[in-house]
Amino acid sequence: MRSAVKSLLVPNPAANFEAFVSKCLSLFKTTTIARGTVLHGHLIKTGTSSERYISVKLLIMYLTGRKPAEAHQVAKEFDRFDLVVQNCFINASLQSGDLDEARKLFDEMPERNEVSWTSLISGFMKSGRVDESLWYFRRNPFQNVVSWTAVISGFAQNGLMLEALIMFLELCESEIRPNEVTFTSVLKACSETGEFRLGMSLLGLIIKTGNELKLSVSNSLITLFLRMGEIDSSRRVFDSMAKRDVVSWTAILDMYVENGDLVEARRIFDEMPQRNEVSWSAMISRYSQSGHPEEALSLFHKMVREGKLVNVSCLSSVINALTTVKALQSGMNIHGHTVKIGMERDVYISSSLIDLYCKCGQTSEGRLLFDSVAEKNVVTWNSMIGGYGFNGQMEEANSLFEAMPSPNSVSWSALITGYLDNKQFDKVFDLFNQMLLFGERPNKSTFSSLLCACATTASLEKGKNIHGKAIKLGIQSDVFVGTALTDMYGKSGDVEGACRVFNRMPQRNEFTWTAMIQGLAESGFAMEALKLFDEMDSRTPPNDLMLSSVLFACSHSGLVNRGLQYFRTFETKMNGSHYTCLVDMLSRAGRLEEAEELIKSMPVEPEPNALAALLSGCQRHKNEELAERTAKKLWRAAERDSGGYVMLSNLYASAGRWKDVLEVRKLMKEKGLKKNGGCSWIELKNQVHSFHSGDGAHSQSLKIYGVLKLLMYEMVPV
């Protein structure tokens, strides 16, 4: 700056005045307000400050720097009204948010030009005063592409996408040609409203007006194609761009992120020449949401090391990732950081932190944070209610729900889910009925929880009633509701109902296929389950439960070789439960040596269930030597798992080895282990009655046990 000012220290600026003015104007573009004041003093000294070009630049400098006194002093150097000066004052008032002052200055103008009108139109739009902006636009005598674009983009910025499109159609009826900014705003509106046909019809006009290579237009086209699901078209636009900015890269990154291709998304992210907070947040959020919390946290640490600013979205995603891995201490460190940077009051940050504390079992800490939030919104309340439900504290969850000022459907669903997770199925259905009485519309999550309760209790009639309500609300075709319906019908034994729902679903995901395959396999339709698995969309990767259902079907239908073929195909995806299924399949078929070798070669510790399956096979096929070896292994495995004791006891009982049964039960008692009591239930007149082993809590237990004794007497052989 000093050298630049020195270059202006010439004894006679008039000798090369044009070069002197040019140098001054270039300095005004880069100088600060403090240095600009020094420059102003030099210009006064040389007698050139009153030159119109220089005076206007000085005026803009002081207005931008919020120095109104100095700005008005410069304005006095203009002898009479100056249109440019008045426009500068109007623009400064708009920039500072003083719209009334801008309007006053506008009304006082003896004459106006297109800049005056467009500045006021744009300023009112940016402040959300849409009607007033439109009032000035309709009366603007200088309507050109700039003023039209100011209104169209203003509508889009205020979320009035339909109005933006209507205004664009009006523009097309005039003789004014849209420009780059117009097309950018209209394409954004088409993307947001789903008016894809209109967006596609703009392509010809964009090419005709020579805007197809403009950076902002190309970025908007990428977004439009992404919203349409045209992945290849988005990539073609990106590849054809001669110049790309951070928005271009972030848009194509979003494409792979939304498509679930995290490998390609990360490759694009690493190749980006520059990244903004949106790019970082998109990548971190998707890692967190896709079950890769460690990757999300690693990327966040890299972001912090590079000195990038962290926004609310990014912090929320990081806290969610910490919640997934239950990293309480790291979460507390992030909590301290949010306090330090003043973001702890943000409702989304505080809600994520409440969820973190509750998921880590620290509901008291979560409640302290909840109570400290001055302005709670529905998300904050729902996080705390859900946290209580997650930890089985249903009384606290219900009390907080009752105190909630305005519960929404998510609040009701959070409480219903809490009762479901704690197996209080009667409360689930009672709360749903209350929800309907209060006039609250159930959402997809509510229906999923209700249908899960029906599936768990095999309450087919209740499930059918809920199915009817879903049809009435028009959400039966939703992929999550449809999956829950398929699962409910399958687990309730109504395979035909499950098939009807499955076949009518317009969209299916891996969980839909799993529910249908599992329903068929567990209902004895093994061949149908395997056929459906083979017909499954190749783009749907099989999950753990689906593979277990396939191996179960092979095991119970004697299709050992086919089961082994499936196992070899998906061996890299197999876990302990899959190996157990395979051992059971081989044991049932009498291939006991193969089953024993498989147990020995397992890459994981064999489950007690695997040993029990082999022992059961030994008993069935009379292989006492292998049975003895397996029993010893099961005995050692039982030391680490109470379930092993129960299995061993049952197996000894089935073989009539009562002395060994007593020994196992004695050991269980010494170790303080208990077998969970058996439970059964029956649905009668749309009400589920549950019974636990040795339980006399039912209101008609005396009559029930009386009938049971009578039945047992009748069953005794004469």
Side-chain angles (χ1 to χ4, degrees):
M1 177 66 189
R2 290 179 180 176
S3 60
V5 172
K6 285 181 180 179
S7 66
L8 298 177
L9 300 178
V10 291
N12 184 17
N16 193 355
F17 187 70
E18 288 186 7
F20 180 81
V21 170
S22 177
K23 189 66 177 177
C24 288
L25 296 181
S26 65
L27 282 174
F28 280 122
K29 292 178 182 179
T30 57
T31 189
T32 62
I33 186 69
R35 291 174 176 175
T37 304
V38 174
L39 179 59
H40 187 188
H42 174 71
L43 294 172
I44 292 173
K45 186 177 179 181
T46 58
T48 55
S49 64
S50 58
E51 291 295 328
R52 188 173 186 277
Y53 293 113
I54 295 176
S55 295
V56 169
K57 287 295 180 182
L58 285 167
L59 178 65
I60 293 171
M61 180 189 74
Y62 285 125
L63 288 172
T64 304
R66 303 292 175 88
K67 299 284 185 181
E70 289 84 347
H72 281 93
Q73 190 62 39
V74 172
K76 288 179 181 178
E77 297 184 11
F78 293 88
D79 297 333
R80 57 186 182 278
F81 170 79
D82 191 288
L83 193 55
V84 174
V85 172
Q86 195 73 352
N87 285 340
C88 287
F89 276 107
I90 289 173
N91 190 58
S93 298
L94 292 170
Q95 291 292 330
S96 64
D98 192 349
L99 272 67
D100 293 332
E101 177 63 19
R103 192 208 306 269
K104 179 174 174 292
L105 291 170
F106 180 85
D107 292 340
E108 290 173 352
M109 294 175 74
E111 61 175 297
R112 308 177 186 102
N113 62 4
E114 61 269 22
V115 177
S116 318
W117 286 91
T118 303
S119 296
L120 210 62
I121 292 165
S122 179
F124 275 96
M125 275 292 185
K126 288 177 181 177
S127 298
R129 292 163 66 167
V130 177
D131 291 339
E132 292 167 90
S133 174
L134 199 58
W135 188 89
Y136 281 103
F137 173 76
R138 295 300 184 193
R139 288 157 180 77
N140 178 14
F142 303 99
Q143 286 191 0
N144 57 16
V145 67
V146 179
S147 56
W148 277 94
T149 301
V151 175
I152 293 170
S153 61
F155 277 135
Q157 290 163 6
N158 285 280
L160 302 171
M161 302 301 174
L162 187 59
E163 288 80 354
L165 295 178
I166 292 171
M167 186 62 69
F168 176 73
L169 294 176
E170 282 189 39
L171 169 63
C172 292
E173 292 175 357
S174 68
E175 296 181 357
I176 298 172
R177 288 163 61 105
N179 64 11
E180 174 187 353
V181 182
T182 318
F183 284 122
T184 302
S185 300
V186 174
L187 288 170
K188 177 186 177 183
C190 291
S191 299
E192 294 291 331
T193 58
E195 291 288 342
F196 300 137
R197 290 180 63 185
L198 177 59
M200 292 299 293
S201 68
L202 289 176
L203 292 178
L205 186 58
I206 289 171
I207 295 170
K208 184 178 179 180
T209 55
N211 286 285
E212 72 275 13
L213 299 178
K214 298 294 177 62
L215 182 61
S216 63
V217 175
S218 296
N219 289 341
S220 297
L221 282 171
I222 291 173
T223 303
L224 175 68
F225 285 132
L226 285 177
R227 294 290 175 87
M228 294 172 62
E230 297 287 342
I231 306 298
D232 293 339
S233 298
S234 296
R235 185 72 209 212
R236 278 197 298 272
V237 173
F238 179 80
D239 291 338
S240 67
M241 293 173 69
K243 180 183 177 184
R244 306 178 184 119
D245 62 4
V246 69
V247 177
S248 320
W249 283 96
T250 303
I252 208 68
L253 174 67
D254 283 341
M255 179 185 80
Y256 288 108
V257 163
E258 291 299 323
N259 205 35
D261 190 348
L262 291 180
V263 174
E264 186 63 18
R266 183 57 187 265
R267 188 186 68 78
I268 293 291
F269 180 83
D270 292 336
E271 286 181 2
M272 292 175 71
Q274 61 180 119
R275 310 180 188 102
N276 59 10
E277 60 182 29
V278 178
S279 317
W280 285 95
S281 294
M283 202 68 234
I284 291 171
S285 298
R286 183 53 67 175
Y287 271 135
S288 178
Q289 294 163 7
S290 301
H292 297 85
E294 292 83 3
E295 290 289 343
L297 295 173
S298 174
L299 200 59
F300 174 71
H301 290 146
K302 183 178 180 182
M303 180 182 182
V304 172
R305 285 196 303 271
E306 292 188 14
K308 304 297 182 183
L309 292 175
V310 181
N311 60 13
V312 170
S313 172
C314 184
L315 268 178
S316 295
S317 298
V318 169
I319 295 169
N320 290 337
L322 292 170
T323 302
T324 303
V325 297
K326 292 185 169 48
L328 179 61
Q329 187 57 53
S330 298
M332 293 172 72
N333 294 339
I334 293 290
H335 187 181
H337 181 66
T338 61
V339 173
K340 185 178 178 181
I341 61 177
M343 293 179 70
E344 82 282 3
R345 296 183 182 275
D346 182 89
V347 290
Y348 296 103
I349 296 292
S350 58
S351 298
S352 297
L353 285 168
I354 290 169
D355 188 53
L356 167 76
Y357 284 120
C358 291
K359 292 288 175 61
C360 293
Q362 302 293 320
T363 50
S364 57
E365 294 294 328
R367 184 58 190 260
L368 281 174
L369 179 56
F370 173 82
D371 291 336
S372 70
V373 178
E375 297 182 7
K376 303 176 183 69
N377 69 356
V378 70
V379 179
T380 318
W381 285 88
N382 292 344
S383 295
M384 195 66 240
I385 292 170
Y388 277 136
F390 180 82
N391 288 281
Q393 298 172 262
M394 293 313 300
E395 288 186 12
E396 291 84 348
N398 193 59
S399 297
L400 193 64
F401 179 79
E402 294 290 340
M404 191 173 178
S406 301
N408 61 5
S409 61
V410 179
S411 317
W412 287 91
S413 292
L415 196 59
I416 287 172
T417 302
Y419 282 122
L420 174 67
D421 292 342
N422 289 280
K423 300 188 180 351
Q424 299 182 38
F425 303 116
D426 290 343
K427 294 285 184 68
V428 169
F429 298 120
D430 289 344
L431 196 60
F432 176 66
N433 291 330
Q434 288 181 41
M435 183 181 184
L436 296 178
L437 286 173
F438 276 88
E440 192 67 53
R441 179 188 174 97
N443 58 23
K444 299 167 188 176
S445 175
T446 314
F447 277 104
S448 294
S449 297
L450 287 164
L451 291 166
C452 181
C454 294
T456 305
T457 58
S459 181
L460 183 58
E461 288 305 313
K462 273 191 172 66
K464 287 181 177 179
N465 289 336
I466 292 167
H467 188 179
K469 288 182 173 64
I471 292 172
K472 187 176 180 181
L473 293 173
I475 61 172
Q476 78 280 5
S477 297
D478 175 78
V479 65
F480 298 106
V481 176
T483 300
L485 283 167
T486 303
D487 185 57
M488 183 275 296
Y489 279 115
K491 288 181 178 175
S492 299
D494 187 354
V495 177
E496 290 184 5
C499 289
R500 280 196 300 271
V501 173
F502 179 82
N503 291 329
R504 290 172 182 171
M505 288 180 67
Q507 182 185 0
R508 305 179 186 121
N509 59 19
E510 62 178 286
F511 303 106
T512 315
W513 288 93
T514 301
M516 192 66 249
I517 291 169
Q518 184 183 19
L520 289 167
E522 293 182 354
S523 298
F525 296 92
M527 296 303 297
E528 290 81 354
L530 298 177
K531 181 182 178 184
L532 187 63
F533 179 74
D534 291 336
E535 292 175 354
M536 189 174 66
D537 189 344
S538 59
R539 291 174 296 180
T540 305
N543 56 30
D544 291 347
L545 186 55
M546 189 187 299
L547 290 173
S548 294
S549 299
V550 168
L551 293 174
F552 176 88
C554 292
S555 176
H556 286 262
S557 58
L559 300 172
V560 180
N561 291 331
R562 190 166 179 180
L564 290 170
Q565 182 181 346
Y566 285 128
F567 182 84
R568 284 190 289 269
T569 302
F570 300 103
E571 189 168 359
T572 56
K573 293 177 175 287
M574 295 296 172
N575 57 29
S577 63
H578 298 131
Y579 278 95
T580 298
C581 289
L582 200 61
V583 170
D584 180 64
M585 181 176 66
L586 291 169
S587 300
R588 284 173 181 271
R591 297 164 67 165
L592 302 176
E593 289 76 14
E594 290 180 64
E596 185 182 29
E597 285 301 316
L598 179 64
I599 289 175
K600 291 178 181 178
S601 63
M602 280 187 190
V604 295
E605 187 74 18
E607 297 176 346
N609 283 346
L611 295 166
L614 177 56
L615 187 54
S616 178
C618 291
Q619 290 176 332
R620 184 182 297 111
H621 297 283
K622 311 298 183 186
N623 190 329
E624 293 183 8
E625 182 184 349
L626 181 54
E628 193 64 33
R629 288 201 307 270
T630 306
K632 290 178 181 178
K633 291 179 181 178
L634 182 57
W635 184 268
R636 288 194 295 271
E639 293 287 335
R640 302 185 299 274
D641 189 335
S642 62
Y645 283 101
V646 176
M647 291 177 209
L648 201 55
S649 174
N650 292 339
L651 286 166
Y652 283 146
S654 64
R657 297 168 61 175
W658 301 109
K659 186 178 178 180
D660 291 327
V661 170
L662 290 174
E663 187 65 27
V664 171
R665 291 184 178 179
K666 181 182 175 182
L667 276 172
M668 288 181 68
K669 189 174 182 180
E670 289 174 357
K671 292 179 177 292
L673 300 172
K674 288 185 178 181
K675 176 183 179 295
N676 291 329
C679 176
S680 61
W681 52 84
I682 184 172
E683 184 178 5
L684 188 65
K685 294 182 179 179
N686 209 28
Q687 184 177 358
V688 176
H689 300 265
S690 58
F691 305 93
H692 293 267
S693 179
D695 179 24
H698 195 277
S699 60
Q700 299 184 48
S701 59
L702 291 175
K703 290 183 179 179
I704 292 168
Y705 281 111
V707 173
L708 182 60
K709 285 181 181 179
L710 182 62
L711 288 171
M712 290 175 69
Y713 176 78
E714 293 290 337
M715 291 167 65
V716 175
V718 179

